[in-house]
Each structure stands twice: as structure tokens, then as C-alpha cells.
Amino acid sequence: MYFVHALNRLRWYEKLLWGISVCVIIVPFYVFHSDDYLNLTASLIGVSALIFVAKGDIIGQIGSVIFSVFYAIVSFHFRYWGEMITYLFMTAPIAAGAVYTWFKNPYAKGEVRIRHLKVSEWGILCVLTVIATFVFGWILRVLNTPNLFFSTLSIATSFLAASLVLLRSEYYGLAYAANDLVLIVLWILATKVQWNYFPMVLCFAMFFINDVYGFYNWKRLKNKQLDN
């Protein structure tokens, strides 16, 4: 089974990080007697996907597509239209595209080939990020989305991050880490209204740690690939 082989490829400290991430999400869920299993499921899928993305393993990217759908549903329930729209109609499709590009560009078994982006590619990516932020931000304003500023900022960071995953750049980790910080703020604000959204705060706190590790590990993998 591919998942078992992917799990065996994790180093001991990566398994530890994954285990801690899962515990940080599960323990409060039961301590506070939460019954929102949709939030729990989305969070567990997300942190599980990230540790494999950090390894450059395509199974993590497949998990990211699944997480995007679950997260869009959670966002819909709280009326975070920005999160729902961007993850369902922007992040999920880009993540699905990344599955294809990763599959077509393997370096070794269970590892994607990492790219060095040209200056022109960075320029195009910045322009597209501005356009996506403007278009989706306008939609959010029309829908009277709660916490509009942070929701719009989330569009910019998530589009940039998802695009960098698609382009197989190690800087995806930094972009997603920035997005995690924005989402921590968004779900703290949501928790002030409904306490059962607190697991999403913990979820993105662990996402932040995993994404920072992902940047570090992809830098290491990139140097290894260049040396061989």
C-alpha cells in the first residue's frame, strides 16, 4: 500500500511532528467535549497532508486537494465566504493541478523534482496574485464577508502559496506559513463567536510549524538534487 510506504519514508522526527500535530488537534476536541466532527476531520486531513508535502511526496498533495474541499465546507458553515470560495474554486483546482505537475516531474520514488524559479516567473506570479486578490476580494465585499480585510489577505497568501506548490518551488512553505498566520487570526475571531471553531485555530497553528519545516526540508532536498 502506497500510504504505508510513504509513512515508512518519514524520518523519526517527521513522524514525531506528525504525531504531535495530531495530538494537539484531537486532545482539545475531547477535553472540551466538541461535537463538530467536520472540523476535526478537516484538521486531521490537513496536518497529515502537510507532513507528506514537506517530504515532496505526491500523496501529501492529493491530501491537500481533499482538505481544500473539507475546509471549504467548514468555512461555509461560519459564513467565511472568502475561505469557502478561494479554497473551493481557487486553492483546490490549483492543488489538483499540482498533483499532475508533481506526477510528471519526479526526482526519485516519493520525491518531486524541485524547481528554481526565474525572475520573470516571479514577476508573472506577483501580477496574477494581485489580479486574483482584486477579483476575489471584490466578490467578498459584495457578499458582505465577515472580517473582510483578513479574508482578502488570505486570498493573496493562499493564491501565492498554492501557485508555488504548482510550480514546485521551495518558497511555497513560507507563503503558506504567512497564510497560516492570517487564518489563525480569522479563526480566533470566529472562536469568539462560536467556541467549537477553536480546533481550527490549533489546526493552523500546527500548519504553520509544518509549513516552516516544509520550507526547510525542500531547501535541503533542492540542494541534494542539485549535487546529484
Side-chain angles (χ1 to χ4, degrees), residues 14 18 36 40 69 83 107-108 116-117 132 138 140 142 159 169-171 175 184 186 213 217 227-228:
E14 292 168 335
W18 181 40
D36 196 336
L40 178 65
V69 176
E83 295 301 287
Y107 171 76
H116 176 76
L117 298 187
W138 177 80
L140 303 192
V142 171
F159 179 84
S169 169
E170 72 272 23
Y171 289 100
I184 288 171
L186 273 175
Y213 173 71
N217 197 51
D227 290 340
N228 293 335

Side-chain angles (χ1 to χ4, degrees), residues 120-175:
S120 58
E121 291 176 308
W122 279 108
I124 293 171
L125 185 55
C126 289
V127 171
L128 291 177
T129 300
V130 171
I131 293 173
T133 304
F134 177 81
V135 172
F136 280 91
W138 177 80
I139 294 173
L140 303 192
R141 183 180 294 275
V142 171
L143 293 175
N144 195 29
T145 302
N147 305 312
L148 181 61
F149 172 77
F150 289 108
S151 292
T152 304
L153 185 59
S154 176
I155 293 171
T157 52
S158 61
F159 179 84
L160 179 62
S163 298
L164 289 171
V165 172
L166 177 70
L167 296 172
R168 296 176 284 119
S169 169
E170 72 272 23
Y171 289 100
Y172 91 88
L174 293 184

Side-chain angles (χ1 to χ4, degrees), residues 2-178:
Y2 185 86
F3 177 77
V4 175
H5 291 302
L7 190 60
N8 289 334
R9 284 194 293 269
L10 296 179
R11 291 181 169 86
W12 69 267
Y13 53 84
E14 292 168 335
K15 292 179 181 177
L16 179 63
L17 175 58
W18 181 40
I20 292 173
S21 300
V22 169
C23 289
V24 166
I25 291 170
I26 289 180
V27 172
F29 180 83
Y30 288 103
V31 168
F32 295 106
H33 305 289
S34 176
D35 60 354
D36 196 336
Y37 287 93
L38 181 62
N39 280 0
L40 178 65
T41 302
S43 300
L44 292 177
I45 292 173
V47 294
S48 298
L50 281 186
I51 195 63
F52 293 107
V53 171
K55 292 288 289 184
D57 195 315
I58 193 171
I59 194 173
Q61 198 51 38
I62 294 172
S64 296
V65 177
I66 299 171
F67 167 76
S68 297
V69 176
F70 272 86
Y71 181 66
I73 296 171
V74 173
S75 301
F76 170 78
H77 286 173
F78 190 72
R79 296 178 61 250
Y80 267 163
W81 309 124
E83 295 301 287
M84 183 198 74
I85 291 172
T86 54
Y87 268 79
L88 196 58
F89 298 106
M90 184 181 75
T91 305
I94 295 175
V99 172
Y100 174 77
T101 61
W102 285 29
F103 178 76
K104 297 293 289 185
N105 294 276
Y107 171 76
K109 186 175 182 180
E111 184 180 317
V112 68
R113 183 175 295 278
I114 300 170
R115 291 185 64 224
H116 176 76
L117 298 187
K118 300 176 182 178
V119 174
S120 58
E121 291 176 308
W122 279 108
I124 293 171
L125 185 55
C126 289
V127 171
L128 291 177
T129 300
V130 171
I131 293 173
T133 304
F134 177 81
V135 172
F136 280 91
W138 177 80
I139 294 173
L140 303 192
R141 183 180 294 275
V142 171
L143 293 175
N144 195 29
T145 302
N147 305 312
L148 181 61
F149 172 77
F150 289 108
S151 292
T152 304
L153 185 59
S154 176
I155 293 171
T157 52
S158 61
F159 179 84
L160 179 62
S163 298
L164 289 171
V165 172
L166 177 70
L167 296 172
R168 296 176 284 119
S169 169
E170 72 272 23
Y171 289 100
Y172 91 88
L174 293 184
Y176 263 128

Side-chain angles (χ1 to χ4, degrees), residues 175-207:
Y176 263 128
N179 183 242
D180 296 333
L181 294 177
V182 174
L183 295 179
I184 288 171
V185 173
L186 273 175
W187 288 108
I188 286 176
L189 295 173
T191 301
K192 292 171 65 176
V193 178
Q194 290 180 256
W195 176 250
N196 61 313
Y197 287 106
F198 181 66
M200 294 306 297
V201 177
L202 297 177
C203 171
F204 285 107
M206 297 313 303
F207 273 32

